[in-house]
Every structure is written in structure tokens, then in C-alpha cells.
């Protein structure tokens, strides 16, 4: 099968709406669908899908394209990988002999190697008494072990290596996959994971990209993860996301925990919308990944863990992600795993349910540190609370938090909640709100002036607008298209990209081809193609009436008339200065222009 033919077949069978809705929550808006853009941070949806034309576009970050572009971007795949994935999804096969990209092959080999290692480790887990005993003690059911593909790496230095060699694997490749490490100062390799329970880490497509190893004795570190590899980046990958995806979308909430066994314990209790960060602090990248599925995240970390402290330091980074981050109040020294074992899944769910916004959580923690009955305690509180409040983006949010904060302060000292405390809370409130106003004024002014300059520079000229409107109306129907090119020629368009689009539409109108927009887009050069997709994705455009379209046409003609007159003037000056001989082509041009401008200027 020719590759182009294959590509078109895959495109035809991959519904854009279906594919996109696997990643983002789409809402219908007229003929289009909207969602929060999965590619940049935003709070109001500017990601638009046009199902008829099978194109998508984000008006915020400017990215756009077809179903292939979407999958490439969101799954971080190469084009051949994307083609492969969508073909598999649509159940289309092609001959194995067809050429494929080399870097794609490379990633593929590492993924295959990981899959092979999973098999080896799982076999070992079934046979090895240490592993069987460990998993039994943890109370893991057979079903859970299967679902998480839990395995075991025996204590020897070459257990995996021997099995890889038997399968003809190049160990240098296994090193690149992070499965083995090179011996220091000597030739050869050794197994990276030894005497550890192996927890395969999957990407959202269920492919094993890395491993976590939990020591079964008191080896250090307790948890050992794969290094970063061409298929694994720990600041983006979340453990359990492959199993949580559906539940996260259904519940419109994700619970973020710190450990592998927190995820597994939650599953055991029937709670599936849980993912874990992999020994790193929660990053904005993580939230970007999660935002494809939901805007609501609850952190369920041990209250005194390093991870919790790191998250509280990064509040401002999370604020920009567009994810509403709450914190479940888990008692110090507990984690979801221990909590679920002691109190059951329902107790954990209740704590998640009662999670408080991360800013509030931080404010409570600050208040607990200070003695508010003393002057120095109150000053200390204000000094610490202001930076925390300032991280809340909007002013109204700050006000709201402040009010809740005061209420909370009153609750904090119930035995002394007399008139004196109320007055004190009021004093703190005033102080904080004044300081916030003072510090935010400067920032806001500069932001406003920035916005104004952007508005001016990005406002399209009347001419550009007229051209856009004409093309968009031509794209609405074959009749409109024919009508338009009965009025003007495609060359009338001033902008080069729009001229290309007009030319294409004119051809379509002339030959009576169907306005199959996606395949049309492919016939354009990249820049014009981009614009074409923009037109297709534009929402809320009301179709123009014929007189309105004629006005637009008039604007184009007016432009050319002025353009021609300017040119005529230039040429006249040349002639008058005696610089043009009679056989100069520009001499001809001069007379041509004079003739045209004398008559009515009908098209070009
Ligand atoms: Zn965007």
C-alpha cells in the first residue's frame, strides 16, 4: 500500500472528535467544540475543534492541525509513531516492509526491551519465595499484582543480564534502557535492580517506560527508579496514570499521592483516580499532563513529608497551570497506604473530599506557628501570610481567602474568641489587605500597559479583515465560493497566503470538486495551510450577507486602485526624468496602468 494512501486511510478512520476527547473534556459550542488547551496553561477554553473539517486550533497558543498533529503533540510521538498508533486504533494493518523512521525504531526497541524485562521480573516474582512472601504480607491480591504487572528482581548481579543475553539482546541497548549499568573500571555490565520488588511505570498508552524498585530488605535507597532515558522523563510521567485515566475523567478529579503503594492501596480499596509522582516533587509539568483529564487535583501527601513542603513552596507555579489544587489533610506520619489499611477506603475518600485549597492549607499551617495573643506573634503571622496570599492570582480570590482566613483564626482560639480576638482579627485583615494592594498595584499597571500594546499590534487592518471574511464565506458552501469568484479573481487578494487559499478555492469552484476541507488543506504550503486551518476553526462567525461581502470586495479593489496609482506616479516620474526608454517594459506598464485606471477598475 502506498504510504500516502495508507495515511489517508488512517485519517479517514480516525475521528478527530473521538481521538481528542480521549485527552481533553470537550464541550459543544455551536458547530464546534471547545476545551481547555492541553498544550498551554489557560483558565478559559480557547482550544477549538471543528468536527466537520476535522481540524483543531488553539486561539491561545496558536497551535493547530489535524488528527495526526494532535496525537503527535499530545503523546509526544513522531509522525510514523502517530501513524502506527492511529492505524492500530482503527484496526488498519499494513505491510511490515514499509520504511520507518530511525529514532522511532530506537524508542520502539527500548520499549520492547522494557516489555521483555517485565516478563522476566514477573516470572521471577512467581517463583521466588522472598517475593511471594513480601507481596502476601502487603496483602496484594493476585488481581492487583496482574493489573500493576508487579515483578521481582532476584539478588544476583546478572539475573536479568543472563536472560537478555539468551534472547540475543545487546547489553549496551539494555544500558540505554536503564535496565543494566556498566561496571566501573571494568568491562561488562550488572543488573541495576537487585533484590527488589519491581513496579513497572507505564505511559498513558500502557507502554512500560521505566521501573521502580522497592527494596525487600533494608537496602538503601528504599526505592530505586530507572534513570532518565529516551522514553522516560520523571518530571512528566505519573505512576498509575495509565490505569487512572478513565476514572479521572469520569470523576473529574485526580488524587496525587507520593508512593507506588499509595496508588496500589487506593486501587485495592476501589479508588482508581490516583496517580503518584516518582520520587520528585510535584511539578507544573505533571499538572500539565493531568490537565488533559481534569482541572481538579487533590494532593494526598504525608503532612510532614519533604514532598508536601516542596509543594507548598511551589504554589505560585501551580496557580499558573489552570489546575485547582487542593490538599487532603492527612495526619502527620500517615500516608494513603497506611491510612487505607488502618481506616479503610471510605475514610480516605472522605479526607480527599474534604481537601482544602492549597493556599488555605498553607495559611492554616502558618497560623498554627504563631501565638496570636502577642504583638510579635501577629506581626510574624502577617509577614508570612502576605507572600502566601499574593500567590493567589486574582484579587477577588485574595479577598475571599482573607475572609476565610479571618474566620479560621477565630476558630483557632475558641476559648479566647471574645471581642478582643475579633478586633485583633479585623486588625490583621486590614493590615494584610493594605499590604496586598500596595504590592499588587505596580505589577498590575505594567501588565495592563503590556496588554494594550498587544491589542493594537494584533488588531487586523480593515483590509485583512475583509480578506478573511471573503475567504471564510467562500469556505461555507460551494455556491458562495462560485459567487465570490464570479465577482473577483483570486489574484485580487493582497496577502500572499490568502491569495494561495483563494486560488485553491477558485480551482475547487471551477472544477466542481467537493469542499473536502482537510484534504484541501494539504494542498497548501505550510503558512497558507496554517491560516486555512485558522479559518476553519474560527467560531461564532455569522455568515455575511451579499451586500456586506460586496463591501469587502470593494475594499480589496480600493487597495489595488491606490496601489496602481502609486505605481503609476512612480513610473511617470521615471519617464519625466528621462530614465525610461520606449522599449523598457516599464514604459509599457505605465500605459497599461493609465488605461486601466481611466476605466472602471473591475478586478485584476
Ligand atoms: Zn493552547
Amino acid at each position: 500500500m502506498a504510504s500516502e494512501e495508507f495515511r489517508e486511510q488512517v485519517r479517514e478512520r480516525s475521528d478527530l472528535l473521538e481521538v481528542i476527547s480521549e485527552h481533553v473534556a470537550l464541550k459543544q459550542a455551536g458547530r464546534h467544540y471547545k476545551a481547555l488547551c492541553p498544550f498551554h496553561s489557560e483558565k478559559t477554553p480557547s482550544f477549538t475543534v471543528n468536527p466537520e473539517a476535522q481540524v483543531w486550533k488553539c486561539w491561545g497558543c496558536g497551535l493547530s492541525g489535524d488528527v495526526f498533529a494532535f496525537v503527535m503533540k499530545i503523546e509526544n510521538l513522531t509522525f510514523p509513531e502517530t501513524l502506527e498508533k492511529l492505524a492500530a486504533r482503527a484496526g488498519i494493518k499494513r505491510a511490515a516492509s514499509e520504511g520507518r523512521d530511525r529514532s522511532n525504531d530506537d524508542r520502539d526497541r527500548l520499549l520492547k526491551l522494557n516489555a521483555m524485562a517485565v516478563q522476566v521480573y514477573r516470572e521471577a516474582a512467581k517463583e521466588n519465595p522472598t517475593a511471594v512472601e513480601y507481596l502476601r504480607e502487603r496483602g496484594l491480591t493476585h488481581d492487583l499484582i496482574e493489573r500493576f504487572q508487579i515483578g521481582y528482581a532476584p539478588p544476583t548481579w546478572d539475573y536479568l543480564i543472563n536472560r537478555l543475553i539468551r534472547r540475543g539482546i545487546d547489553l549496551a541497548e539494555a544500558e540505554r534502557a536503564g535496565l543494566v549499568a556498566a561496571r566501573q573500571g571494568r568491562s561488562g555490565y550488572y543488573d541495576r535492580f537487585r533484590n527488589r520488588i519491581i513496579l513497572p511505570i507505564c505511559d498513558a498508552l500502557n507502554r512500560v517506560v521505566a521501573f521502580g524498585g522497592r527494596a525487600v530488605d533494608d537496602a538503601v535507597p528504599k526505592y530505586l527508579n530507572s534513570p532518565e532515558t529516551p522514553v522516560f522523563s520523571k518530571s512528566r510521567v505519573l505512576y498509575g496514570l495509565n490505569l487512572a485515566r478513565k476514572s479521572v475523567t469520569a470523576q473529574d478529579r485526580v488524587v496525587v499521592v507520593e508512593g507506588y503503594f499509595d496508588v496500589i492501596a487506593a486501587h485495592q480499596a476501589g479508588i482508581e483516580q490516583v496517580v503518584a509522582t516518582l520520587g520528585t516533587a510535584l511539578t507544573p509539568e505533571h499538572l500539565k499532563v493531568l490537565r488533559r483529564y481534569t482541572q481538579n487535583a487533590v494532593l494526598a501527601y504525608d503532612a510532614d513529608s519533604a514532598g508536601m513542603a516542596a509543594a507548598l513552596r511551589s504554589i505560585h507555579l501551580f496557580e499558573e497551570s489552570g489546575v485547582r489544587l487542593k490538599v487532603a489533610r492527612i495526619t502527620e506520619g500517615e500516608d494513603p497506604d497506611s491510612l487505607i489499611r488502618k481506616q479503610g477506603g471510605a475514610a480516605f475518600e472522605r479526607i480527599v473530599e474534604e481537601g482544602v485549597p492549597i493556599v488555605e492549607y498553607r495559611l492554616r499551617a502558618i497560623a498554627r506557628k504563631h501565638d496570636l495573643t502577642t504583638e510579635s506573634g501577629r506581626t510574624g503571622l502577617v509577614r508570612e501570610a502576605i507572600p502566601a496570599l499574593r500567590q493567589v492570582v486574582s484579587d477577588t480570590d485574595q479577598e475571599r481567602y482573607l475572609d476565610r482566613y479571618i474566620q479560621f483564626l477565630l476558630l483557632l482560639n475558641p476559648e479566647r474568641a471574645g471581642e478582643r480576638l475579633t478586633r485583633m482579627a479585623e486588625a490583621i485583615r486590614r493590615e494584610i489587605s493594605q499590604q496586598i494592594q500596595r504590592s499588587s498595584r505596580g505589577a498590575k499597571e505594567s501588565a495592563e500597559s503590556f496588554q494594550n500594546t498587544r491589542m493594537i499590534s494584533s488588531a487586523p487592518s480593515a483590509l485583512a479583515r475583509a480578506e478573511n471574511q471573503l475567504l471564510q464565506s467562500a469556505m461555507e458552501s460551494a455556491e458562495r465560493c462560485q459567487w465570490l469568484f464570479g465577482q473577483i479573481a483570486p489574484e485580487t487578494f493582497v496577502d500572499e497566503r490568502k491569495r494561495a487559499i483563494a486560488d485553491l478555492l477558485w480551482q475547487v469552484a471551477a472544477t466542481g470538486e467537493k469542499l473536502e476541507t482537510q484534504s484541501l488543506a494539504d494542498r497548501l504550503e505550510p503558512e497558507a495551510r496554517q491560516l486555512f486551518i485558522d479559518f476553519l476553526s474560527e467560531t461564532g462567525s455569522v455568515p455575511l450577507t451579499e451586500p456586506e461581502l460586496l463591501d469587502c470586495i470593494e475594499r480589496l479593489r480600493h487597495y489595488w486602485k491606490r496601489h496602481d496609482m502609486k505605481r503609476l506616479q512612480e513610473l511617470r516620474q521615471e519617464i519625466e526624468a528621462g530614465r525610461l526608454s520606449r522599449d523598457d517594459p516599464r514604459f509599457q506598464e505605465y500605459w497599461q496602468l493609465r488605461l486601466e485606471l481611466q476605466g472602471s477598475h473591475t478586478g485584476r
Side-chain angles (χ1 to χ4, degrees), residues 525-546:
E525 295 294 316
E527 286 202 339
R529 181 166 184 274
Q530 181 66 45
L531 191 65
F532 188 78
I533 290 169
D534 289 1
F535 288 151
L536 288 172
S537 319
E538 197 116 43
T539 50
S541 60
V542 184
L544 296 188
T545 60
E546 239 167 65

PDB file of all heavy atoms in Angstrom, residues 525-546:
ATOM      1  N   GLU A 525       0.825  25.342   0.933  1.00  0.00           N
ATOM      2  CA  GLU A 525       2.123  25.490   1.591  1.00  0.00           C
ATOM      3  C   GLU A 525       1.878  25.691   3.089  1.00  0.00           C
ATOM      4  O   GLU A 525       0.807  26.161   3.467  1.00  0.00           O
ATOM      5  CB  GLU A 525       2.862  26.716   1.039  1.00  0.00           C
ATOM      6  CG  GLU A 525       3.233  26.608  -0.425  1.00  0.00           C
ATOM      7  CD  GLU A 525       4.267  25.521  -0.683  1.00  0.00           C
ATOM      8  OE1 GLU A 525       5.235  25.436   0.097  1.00  0.00           O
ATOM      9  OE2 GLU A 525       4.091  24.752  -1.642  1.00  0.00           O
ATOM     10  N   PRO A 526       2.882  25.353   3.920  1.00  0.00           N
ATOM     11  CA  PRO A 526       2.654  25.392   5.373  1.00  0.00           C
ATOM     12  C   PRO A 526       2.015  26.676   5.904  1.00  0.00           C
ATOM     13  O   PRO A 526       1.094  26.613   6.703  1.00  0.00           O
ATOM     14  CB  PRO A 526       4.061  25.218   5.941  1.00  0.00           C
ATOM     15  CG  PRO A 526       4.805  24.491   4.887  1.00  0.00           C
ATOM     16  CD  PRO A 526       4.217  24.902   3.567  1.00  0.00           C
ATOM     17  N   GLU A 527       2.489  27.834   5.444  1.00  0.00           N
ATOM     18  CA  GLU A 527       1.960  29.082   6.013  1.00  0.00           C
ATOM     19  C   GLU A 527       0.501  29.312   5.661  1.00  0.00           C
ATOM     20  O   GLU A 527      -0.305  29.700   6.507  1.00  0.00           O
ATOM     21  CB  GLU A 527       2.802  30.268   5.559  1.00  0.00           C
ATOM     22  CG  GLU A 527       4.128  30.308   6.276  1.00  0.00           C
ATOM     23  CD  GLU A 527       4.740  31.693   6.259  1.00  0.00           C
ATOM     24  OE1 GLU A 527       4.348  32.492   5.387  1.00  0.00           O
ATOM     25  OE2 GLU A 527       5.607  31.948   7.102  1.00  0.00           O
ATOM     26  N   ALA A 528       0.176  29.057   4.408  1.00  0.00           N
ATOM     27  CA  ALA A 528      -1.198  29.235   3.968  1.00  0.00           C
ATOM     28  C   ALA A 528      -2.085  28.173   4.619  1.00  0.00           C
ATOM     29  O   ALA A 528      -3.236  28.430   4.981  1.00  0.00           O
ATOM     30  CB  ALA A 528      -1.282  29.129   2.451  1.00  0.00           C
ATOM     31  N   ARG A 529      -1.507  27.010   4.801  1.00  0.00           N
ATOM     32  CA  ARG A 529      -2.236  25.890   5.386  1.00  0.00           C
ATOM     33  C   ARG A 529      -2.662  26.225   6.822  1.00  0.00           C
ATOM     34  O   ARG A 529      -3.790  25.999   7.232  1.00  0.00           O
ATOM     35  CB  ARG A 529      -1.321  24.670   5.384  1.00  0.00           C
ATOM     36  CG  ARG A 529      -1.951  23.443   5.943  1.00  0.00           C
ATOM     37  CD  ARG A 529      -1.124  22.213   5.590  1.00  0.00           C
ATOM     38  NE  ARG A 529      -1.815  21.048   6.072  1.00  0.00           N
ATOM     39  CZ  ARG A 529      -1.689  20.598   7.311  1.00  0.00           C
ATOM     40  NH1 ARG A 529      -0.875  21.190   8.139  1.00  0.00           N
ATOM     41  NH2 ARG A 529      -2.378  19.553   7.718  1.00  0.00           N
ATOM     42  N   GLN A 530      -1.706  26.829   7.533  1.00  0.00           N
ATOM     43  CA  GLN A 530      -1.966  27.260   8.905  1.00  0.00           C
ATOM     44  C   GLN A 530      -3.161  28.208   8.952  1.00  0.00           C
ATOM     45  O   GLN A 530      -4.072  28.043   9.762  1.00  0.00           O
ATOM     46  CB  GLN A 530      -0.703  27.971   9.420  1.00  0.00           C
ATOM     47  CG  GLN A 530      -0.798  28.466  10.819  1.00  0.00           C
ATOM     48  CD  GLN A 530      -0.917  27.310  11.786  1.00  0.00           C
ATOM     49  OE1 GLN A 530      -0.191  26.326  11.686  1.00  0.00           O
ATOM     50  NE2 GLN A 530      -1.860  27.407  12.698  1.00  0.00           N
ATOM     51  N   LEU A 531      -3.139  29.166   8.055  1.00  0.00           N
ATOM     52  CA  LEU A 531      -4.201  30.166   8.023  1.00  0.00           C
ATOM     53  C   LEU A 531      -5.533  29.533   7.648  1.00  0.00           C
ATOM     54  O   LEU A 531      -6.584  29.849   8.216  1.00  0.00           O
ATOM     55  CB  LEU A 531      -3.815  31.246   7.005  1.00  0.00           C
ATOM     56  CG  LEU A 531      -4.666  32.502   7.016  1.00  0.00           C
ATOM     57  CD1 LEU A 531      -4.511  33.233   8.323  1.00  0.00           C
ATOM     58  CD2 LEU A 531      -4.270  33.411   5.856  1.00  0.00           C
ATOM     59  N   PHE A 532      -5.486  28.626   6.705  1.00  0.00           N
ATOM     60  CA  PHE A 532      -6.672  27.907   6.253  1.00  0.00           C
ATOM     61  C   PHE A 532      -7.334  27.197   7.428  1.00  0.00           C
ATOM     62  O   PHE A 532      -8.550  27.252   7.632  1.00  0.00           O
ATOM     63  CB  PHE A 532      -6.241  26.897   5.186  1.00  0.00           C
ATOM     64  CG  PHE A 532      -7.373  26.203   4.481  1.00  0.00           C
ATOM     65  CD1 PHE A 532      -8.090  26.842   3.483  1.00  0.00           C
ATOM     66  CD2 PHE A 532      -7.698  24.902   4.806  1.00  0.00           C
ATOM     67  CE1 PHE A 532      -9.118  26.190   2.820  1.00  0.00           C
ATOM     68  CE2 PHE A 532      -8.726  24.237   4.151  1.00  0.00           C
ATOM     69  CZ  PHE A 532      -9.446  24.890   3.143  1.00  0.00           C
ATOM     70  N   ILE A 533      -6.496  26.555   8.229  1.00  0.00           N
ATOM     71  CA  ILE A 533      -6.995  25.844   9.418  1.00  0.00           C
ATOM     72  C   ILE A 533      -7.576  26.834  10.422  1.00  0.00           C
ATOM     73  O   ILE A 533      -8.606  26.594  11.038  1.00  0.00           O
ATOM     74  CB  ILE A 533      -5.877  24.976  10.040  1.00  0.00           C
ATOM     75  CG1 ILE A 533      -5.574  23.813   9.105  1.00  0.00           C
ATOM     76  CG2 ILE A 533      -6.282  24.450  11.410  1.00  0.00           C
ATOM     77  CD1 ILE A 533      -4.331  23.042   9.449  1.00  0.00           C
ATOM     78  N   ASP A 534      -6.925  27.982  10.547  1.00  0.00           N
ATOM     79  CA  ASP A 534      -7.466  29.028  11.423  1.00  0.00           C
ATOM     80  C   ASP A 534      -8.890  29.394  10.998  1.00  0.00           C
ATOM     81  O   ASP A 534      -9.783  29.517  11.813  1.00  0.00           O
ATOM     82  CB  ASP A 534      -6.606  30.298  11.361  1.00  0.00           C
ATOM     83  CG  ASP A 534      -5.264  30.089  12.046  1.00  0.00           C
ATOM     84  OD1 ASP A 534      -5.021  28.971  12.536  1.00  0.00           O
ATOM     85  OD2 ASP A 534      -4.480  31.040  12.077  1.00  0.00           O
ATOM     86  N   PHE A 535      -9.063  29.567   9.694  1.00  0.00           N
ATOM     87  CA  PHE A 535     -10.386  29.933   9.193  1.00  0.00           C
ATOM     88  C   PHE A 535     -11.404  28.856   9.534  1.00  0.00           C
ATOM     89  O   PHE A 535     -12.515  29.134   9.941  1.00  0.00           O
ATOM     90  CB  PHE A 535     -10.358  30.133   7.669  1.00  0.00           C
ATOM     91  CG  PHE A 535      -9.643  31.375   7.236  1.00  0.00           C
ATOM     92  CD1 PHE A 535      -9.008  31.437   6.003  1.00  0.00           C
ATOM     93  CD2 PHE A 535      -9.620  32.495   8.052  1.00  0.00           C
ATOM     94  CE1 PHE A 535      -8.355  32.584   5.595  1.00  0.00           C
ATOM     95  CE2 PHE A 535      -8.968  33.655   7.658  1.00  0.00           C
ATOM     96  CZ  PHE A 535      -8.333  33.693   6.422  1.00  0.00           C
ATOM     97  N   LEU A 536     -10.985  27.625   9.355  1.00  0.00           N
ATOM     98  CA  LEU A 536     -11.904  26.518   9.624  1.00  0.00           C
ATOM     99  C   LEU A 536     -12.283  26.444  11.099  1.00  0.00           C
ATOM    100  O   LEU A 536     -13.357  25.989  11.451  1.00  0.00           O
ATOM    101  CB  LEU A 536     -11.256  25.185   9.232  1.00  0.00           C
ATOM    102  CG  LEU A 536     -11.104  24.904   7.743  1.00  0.00           C
ATOM    103  CD1 LEU A 536     -10.286  23.651   7.545  1.00  0.00           C
ATOM    104  CD2 LEU A 536     -12.469  24.751   7.102  1.00  0.00           C
ATOM    105  N   SER A 537     -11.371  26.893  11.934  1.00  0.00           N
ATOM    106  CA  SER A 537     -11.594  26.735  13.371  1.00  0.00           C
ATOM    107  C   SER A 537     -12.274  27.931  14.006  1.00  0.00           C
ATOM    108  O   SER A 537     -12.649  27.888  15.162  1.00  0.00           O
ATOM    109  CB  SER A 537     -10.254  26.520  14.078  1.00  0.00           C
ATOM    110  OG  SER A 537      -9.448  25.680  13.337  1.00  0.00           O
ATOM    111  N   GLU A 538     -12.398  29.001  13.240  1.00  0.00           N
ATOM    112  CA  GLU A 538     -12.960  30.229  13.800  1.00  0.00           C
ATOM    113  C   GLU A 538     -14.391  29.990  14.254  1.00  0.00           C
ATOM    114  O   GLU A 538     -15.187  29.425  13.538  1.00  0.00           O
ATOM    115  CB  GLU A 538     -12.953  31.328  12.746  1.00  0.00           C
ATOM    116  CG  GLU A 538     -13.123  32.696  13.320  1.00  0.00           C
ATOM    117  CD  GLU A 538     -11.878  33.533  13.075  1.00  0.00           C
ATOM    118  OE1 GLU A 538     -11.350  33.481  11.962  1.00  0.00           O
ATOM    119  OE2 GLU A 538     -11.452  34.216  14.000  1.00  0.00           O
ATOM    120  N   THR A 539     -14.680  30.397  15.483  1.00  0.00           N
ATOM    121  CA  THR A 539     -16.037  30.167  15.992  1.00  0.00           C
ATOM    122  C   THR A 539     -16.848  31.437  15.976  1.00  0.00           C
ATOM    123  O   THR A 539     -16.314  32.533  15.899  1.00  0.00           O
ATOM    124  CB  THR A 539     -15.994  29.660  17.441  1.00  0.00           C
ATOM    125  OG1 THR A 539     -15.154  30.535  18.176  1.00  0.00           O
ATOM    126  CG2 THR A 539     -15.488  28.259  17.520  1.00  0.00           C
ATOM    127  N   GLY A 540     -18.136  31.251  16.078  1.00  0.00           N
ATOM    128  CA  GLY A 540     -19.053  32.363  16.265  1.00  0.00           C
ATOM    129  C   GLY A 540     -19.127  33.343  15.110  1.00  0.00           C
ATOM    130  O   GLY A 540     -19.614  34.446  15.255  1.00  0.00           O
ATOM    131  N   SER A 541     -18.646  32.948  13.939  1.00  0.00           N
ATOM    132  CA  SER A 541     -18.738  33.889  12.832  1.00  0.00           C
ATOM    133  C   SER A 541     -20.120  33.774  12.186  1.00  0.00           C
ATOM    134  O   SER A 541     -20.562  32.703  11.810  1.00  0.00           O
ATOM    135  CB  SER A 541     -17.638  33.610  11.801  1.00  0.00           C
ATOM    136  OG  SER A 541     -17.765  32.311  11.296  1.00  0.00           O
ATOM    137  N   VAL A 542     -20.783  34.905  12.110  1.00  0.00           N
ATOM    138  CA  VAL A 542     -22.109  34.939  11.498  1.00  0.00           C
ATOM    139  C   VAL A 542     -21.903  35.095   9.992  1.00  0.00           C
ATOM    140  O   VAL A 542     -21.105  35.934   9.568  1.00  0.00           O
ATOM    141  CB  VAL A 542     -22.911  36.149  12.045  1.00  0.00           C
ATOM    142  CG1 VAL A 542     -24.329  36.149  11.505  1.00  0.00           C
ATOM    143  CG2 VAL A 542     -22.897  36.121  13.557  1.00  0.00           C
ATOM    144  N   PRO A 543     -22.581  34.308   9.170  1.00  0.00           N
ATOM    145  CA  PRO A 543     -22.389  34.446   7.720  1.00  0.00           C
ATOM    146  C   PRO A 543     -22.759  35.848   7.245  1.00  0.00           C
ATOM    147  O   PRO A 543     -23.749  36.422   7.703  1.00  0.00           O
ATOM    148  CB  PRO A 543     -23.335  33.403   7.126  1.00  0.00           C
ATOM    149  CG  PRO A 543     -23.929  32.648   8.249  1.00  0.00           C
ATOM    150  CD  PRO A 543     -23.505  33.248   9.543  1.00  0.00           C
ATOM    151  N   LEU A 544     -21.934  36.382   6.387  1.00  0.00           N
ATOM    152  CA  LEU A 544     -22.185  37.745   5.907  1.00  0.00           C
ATOM    153  C   LEU A 544     -23.238  37.728   4.806  1.00  0.00           C
ATOM    154  O   LEU A 544     -23.385  36.750   4.081  1.00  0.00           O
ATOM    155  CB  LEU A 544     -20.891  38.358   5.364  1.00  0.00           C
ATOM    156  CG  LEU A 544     -19.764  38.576   6.362  1.00  0.00           C
ATOM    157  CD1 LEU A 544     -18.645  39.373   5.707  1.00  0.00           C
ATOM    158  CD2 LEU A 544     -20.242  39.300   7.599  1.00  0.00           C
ATOM    159  N   THR A 545     -23.959  38.857   4.687  1.00  0.00           N
ATOM    160  CA  THR A 545     -24.932  38.994   3.606  1.00  0.00           C
ATOM    161  C   THR A 545     -24.191  39.410   2.339  1.00  0.00           C
ATOM    162  O   THR A 545     -23.031  39.841   2.408  1.00  0.00           O
ATOM    163  CB  THR A 545     -25.962  40.085   3.944  1.00  0.00           C
ATOM    164  OG1 THR A 545     -25.235  41.312   4.105  1.00  0.00           O
ATOM    165  CG2 THR A 545     -26.690  39.747   5.232  1.00  0.00           C
ATOM    166  N   GLU A 546     -24.875  39.313   1.205  1.00  0.00           N
ATOM    167  CA  GLU A 546     -24.222  39.664  -0.057  1.00  0.00           C
ATOM    168  C   GLU A 546     -23.740  41.117  -0.095  1.00  0.00           C
ATOM    169  O   GLU A 546     -22.601  41.364  -0.501  1.00  0.00           O
ATOM    170  CB  GLU A 546     -25.136  39.354  -1.236  1.00  0.00           C
ATOM    171  CG  GLU A 546     -24.469  38.371  -2.180  1.00  0.00           C
ATOM    172  CD  GLU A 546     -25.432  37.783  -3.187  1.00  0.00           C
ATOM    173  OE1 GLU A 546     -25.938  38.571  -4.014  1.00  0.00           O
ATOM    174  OE2 GLU A 546     -25.671  36.564  -3.136  1.00  0.00           O
TER     175      GLU A 546
END
